[in-house]
Amino acid sequence: VIADVPMELSDDPLLQGLAAGETLKPPGGDTQNMYSDYKWGNDNPLFADRMQGPAAPDDAIEEALDDATQEILSLVQDQGPYWQLEVRNVASTRVVSLSDETAWPPYKTTCAKLMYVVAKALIEDGRPAYDVLPEARQIAEQAFDEGGELEAGKILRNIGDLYVVQLDEEEPVEQEYIDAKKEIDALVDRITAERDLPDDLEEVPEIPKPEYRITDKWTISLRSPPSMGEEEPMDIVVRPVQKAELLVKAWLQSQDMPLEMAEDIGLSVPTEPETWRNGVVNLEEPIGESGVEDLGYIDVFLKSEVKENEEKAAKEAAQAKAAAAEEEKSEEALSWRLDLSECTEHAQAKAAAPEEAKSGEA
C-alpha cells in the first residue's frame, strides 16, 4: 500500500510512521475525535480519493438523494411531533454522508440545497440551526468553488443570510455568525470576479453556433458609425465561408471611400440581438465564424475614432480625479481653519474668565 502512495504525500506523518514501523497516536491523543483532524480524517487526500465515488452520475446515490429529498420535504411540510429532531437526523447523517461519498458537483449541489431547506425550516420555526449551517456551508463551498456549480453559489449566499437571522428580539446575533456571513459573501464575490461569472449567478443559456455550407447565402446588414449621421443599414448578400474583410470593402465602396482606408475600418457584432458570439470581428476569419448570423447586424467603426474617444475618456477621468483631490484638499484646509478658529475662541474665553470673576467680586 505504501508503495502506491503518491510522492506528494510523503510528508504525511501517518505514512511516515507506517514506513518506519511506528504506531502513531492521533493528534492530542484523543482516539474518539481522531477522524475529525485533517491528517487523520476524510479530508486527507489519501483517504478522500478512495472513499469518494468518481465525479460522475451514480444511480445508487441518485436514488438515495431522491429518498432523502422526499423524507425531508415530508417532515418539513407536515411538522409532526419531534419533526425537528427527525429532520436534523436525516440532514446530519444521510445527506452529509451522501455528499462525502460523491465528487459529482450536481449531487453536492443537491445536498447543499437539502441542508439549506432544513436550516431554513428550523429557523422559520424559531429554532436555531447552527449545527446544520456549517455543514451546509462546507458542501455548498465545495460544489461552487471546486465544482463550478452556479446554483451552489446562490445557495451559499442564502446560507450566509441564515447565519444572521435574529431568533430572539432581546438577544442580538453573535459576532461569530456575523463574521461567518462576511466570509461567505467575500468568498462568493471573489470567485465570481475571478471566473467572470454573472453577478446574479444565473446560468446564461448558450446560443448554438449556426451551421452553414459552402453554397449557403446570408443577408448581412452593415451599420455605419454614429459619427456619420443616421444612415439606413446597408444590406449585402454574402456567403458565410467568405472572409469578413469582404464586408469592409463593400462598405467602403458604398460610401465612395478609397479602399486604402480599410486599415482604419473595424467590424463588431453587437450584443443585441443576442447571438452566439459578439465583439470585434477578425477580418481574416470567415463571416460565419464572426458571431453574426443570417439576417443579422454588424457595426462598422473607425479605429482612429475609437482611439480618440478612449484618449478623451482617459483625459476626462484624470481631470475628474484631480478635481476630486483638489476638493478634498480644500475641505481639509477649511477644517483646519475651523479648528484654529475654535481654538482661538476657546483661548479668548479662557482669558476673559478671570476678568469676569473680578468684576463679579467687585
Side-chain angles (χ1 to χ4, degrees), residues 10-213:
S10 59
D11 59 344
D12 191 304
L14 172 62
L15 304 180
Q16 291 175 354
L18 292 174
E22 300 176 358
T23 301
L24 297 183
K25 294 182 179 180
D30 185 358
T31 57
Q32 297 298 320
N33 298 318
M34 60 185 291
Y35 294 107
S36 64
D37 187 86
Y38 170 82
K39 289 294 184 182
W40 296 81
N42 295 344
D43 289 336
N44 189 308
L46 175 64
F47 303 138
D49 291 344
R50 298 180 181 180
M51 295 183 68
Q52 281 190 344
D58 184 281
D59 292 340
I61 292 180
E62 195 159 336
E63 183 177 352
L65 277 174
D66 289 341
D67 292 342
T69 300
Q70 293 299 324
E71 186 166 354
I72 287 175
L73 292 179
S74 176
L75 288 169
V76 169
Q77 291 171 0
D78 298 341
Q79 294 195 0
Y82 307 110
W83 71 274
Q84 72 278 7
L85 300 178
E86 295 181 59
V87 80
R88 287 180 194 273
N89 181 56
V90 175
S92 61
T93 56
R94 290 165 58 183
V95 177
V96 173
S97 298
L98 288 170
S99 174
D100 291 339
E101 291 179 9
T102 180
W104 184 234
Y107 290 164
K108 283 191 174 291
T109 301
T110 301
C111 291
K113 189 184 299 184
L114 290 175
M115 298 294 289
Y116 167 73
V117 168
V118 170
K120 187 172 184 290
L122 291 169
I123 290 173
E124 287 180 347
D125 196 49
R127 304 174 185 275
Y130 297 124
D131 56 330
V132 180
L133 288 174
E135 293 174 324
R137 173 185 176 181
Q138 182 180 11
I139 297 171
E141 285 181 358
Q142 291 173 351
F144 181 50
D145 189 8
E146 302 171 14
E149 290 284 302
L150 298 191
E151 186 180 5
K154 292 191 291 184
I155 296 171
L156 190 55
R157 279 178 174 164
N158 293 336
I159 291 171
D161 293 337
L162 292 183
Y163 266 101
V164 293
V165 173
Q166 188 172 353
L167 296 176
D168 190 339
E169 295 181 357
E170 297 180 358
E171 294 185 9
V173 179
E174 295 183 17
Q175 187 60 42
E176 63 174 306
Y177 303 130
I178 297 175
D179 293 340
K181 175 175 169 50
K182 291 180 179 178
E183 292 171 3
I184 290 173
D185 291 341
L187 174 68
V188 175
D189 292 342
R190 177 181 61 80
I191 295 175
T192 301
E194 288 177 355
R195 302 179 187 177
D196 196 22
L197 301 175
D199 292 337
D200 57 2
L201 296 177
E202 290 290 344
E203 295 279 358
V204 179
E206 292 186 5
I207 300 176
K209 176 182 173 182
E211 297 181 0
Y212 56 86
R213 297 169 296 180

Side-chain angles (χ1 to χ4, degrees), residues 5 42 56 71 78 80 284 297 299 339:
V5 173
N42 295 344
E71 186 166 354
D78 298 341
E284 295 298 321
Y297 290 89
D299 293 331
D339 291 343

